[in-house]
Amino acid sequence: MADTTTLSAAPPHGAPSSFSSPSPVSALSPVSPLAHEAGRLAAATRASGGAVRLAELPFLTQLDVRLDSKGAAADAVGLALDLPLPVAPNTVVRAGELVGLWLGPDEWLLVGPPGSERDLESRIRAAAGDEPVSVTDVSAQRTTLLVTGPRARDLLAHGCALDLHPRAFGPGRCAQTTLGRTQVVLVARDEPRAGFWVLVRASFAGYLTDWLLDAATEYMAPE
């Protein structure tokens, strides 16, 4: 977050002396891509009677990590984070509030609580030592939609080509795919009744929200 700054401009000629006292200008609080959609998401959840529940999870830390999965750095980073990097394709590993998503043979996405990106990056780099490693903070690139409820899979299946049956895409699975023609990272969370994370680029978040709300109308009680 930007540091607090202070304006120090000279007062205009003839201005009262009180004008010359500079006022601190606090850094603006961040606004999530879907802050203005919170009311619509909550209304849709109520109208469906809980059949689908929609909400934004803003500002989650997201770090893209690349390294040799068979090298010494992979084990060292796993130990430093207390989270072994998943090696099976399209799988998820979770330890507390930190989640690791397999994106490719040498690429992972680490998702953690808001504000933890610097600590996580420093721990990764320290653990890797001289081994080649790439750590990119992509927290601002995406936001996260939470889709839960008994009809969550049915809702997502309207616009996703993946087989979302629990036998094929059960808890602890993830995939880079499209939803409503939007590129997303889809995560089937492993907690009971926890539903799905939909990680979407901030610039497409509004469009995808409109799509989800439209697709969810069939689960809503008539007015």
Side-chain angles (χ1 to χ4, degrees), residues 135-157:
V135 184
T136 306
D137 182 3
V138 294
S139 306
Q141 183 186 74
R142 304 187 189 95
T143 191
T144 304
L145 279 158
L146 177 64
V147 183
T148 64
R151 305 303 297 271
R153 287 182 186 272
D154 298 329
L155 172 61
L156 296 173

Side-chain angles (χ1 to χ4, degrees), residues 67-125:
L67 52 79
D68 182 358
S69 63
K70 297 180 181 179
D75 291 336
V77 168
L79 288 173
L81 299 177
D82 195 24
L83 178 89
L85 298 176
V87 293
N90 299 316
T91 58
V92 179
V93 173
R94 180 170 65 93
E97 295 184 289
L98 185 60
V99 179
L101 312 178
W102 185 97
L103 296 186
D106 65 348
E107 183 177 10
W108 297 265
L109 184 67
L110 296 180
V111 182
S116 61
E117 56 270 16
R118 290 185 180 179
D119 173 63
L120 290 173
E121 181 173 355
S122 65
R123 288 159 63 187
I124 292 169
R125 293 192 182 281

Side-chain angles (χ1 to χ4, degrees), residues 34-76:
L34 296 176
H36 62 291
E37 299 286 11
R40 295 176 67 205
L41 293 171
T45 297
R46 290 192 299 270
S48 74
V52 293
R53 294 187 287 273
L54 304 171
E56 183 191 18
L57 300 177
F59 310 126
L60 293 181
T61 290
Q62 299 182 42
L63 296 181
D64 187 90
V65 178
R66 304 200 70 161
L67 52 79
D68 182 358
S69 63
K70 297 180 181 179
D75 291 336

